[in-house]
């Protein structure tokens, strides 16, 4: 699932999770390294096909891991 927002944020969840926003945000989390609580929220957003829910998860991830992270 891919979502793009008017402020430039892009979220791509197709196994791994990638969150980008210009040069300000660049987060990549390998599928096997996504924490269970985040994975369940991602799966629910995917199930509901909800970019709003996916945005909420992206906000949580960047608050937890910061704006720049590469987790394998």
């Amino acid at each position: 699932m891919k979502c793009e927002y008017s402020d430039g944020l892009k979220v791509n969840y197709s196994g791994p999770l990638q969150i980008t926003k210009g040069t300000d945000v660049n987060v990549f989390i390998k599928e096997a390294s996504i924490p269970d609580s985040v994975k369940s929220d991602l799966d629910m957003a995917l199930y509901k096909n909800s970019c709003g829910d996916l945005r909420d998860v992206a906000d949580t991830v960047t608050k937890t891991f910061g704006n720049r992270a590469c987790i394998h």
Side-chain angles (χ1 to χ4, degrees):
M1 177 174 184
K2 293 181 184 180
C3 296
E4 294 186 31
Y5 305 91
S6 61
D7 65 350
L9 184 74
K10 296 178 184 178
V11 181
N12 181 1
Y13 175 54
S14 57
L17 174 65
Q18 185 171 15
I19 305 167
T20 58
K21 182 177 179 183
T23 59
D24 296 333
V25 178
N26 190 0
V27 176
F28 177 85
I29 305 176
K30 187 176 176 180
E31 184 175 14
S33 299
I34 298 173
D36 289 340
S37 60
V38 172
K39 179 120 174 80
S40 65
D41 290 344
L42 286 168
D43 289 342
M44 185 56 71
L46 184 63
Y47 175 76
K48 293 172 24 180
N49 197 32
S50 172
C51 282
D53 288 353
L54 194 59
R55 171 74 186 236
D56 292 341
V57 175
D59 290 343
T60 299
V61 168
T62 56
K63 285 177 186 171
T64 303
F65 296 104
N67 288 343
R68 298 193 183 285
C70 185
I71 302 169
H72 292 248

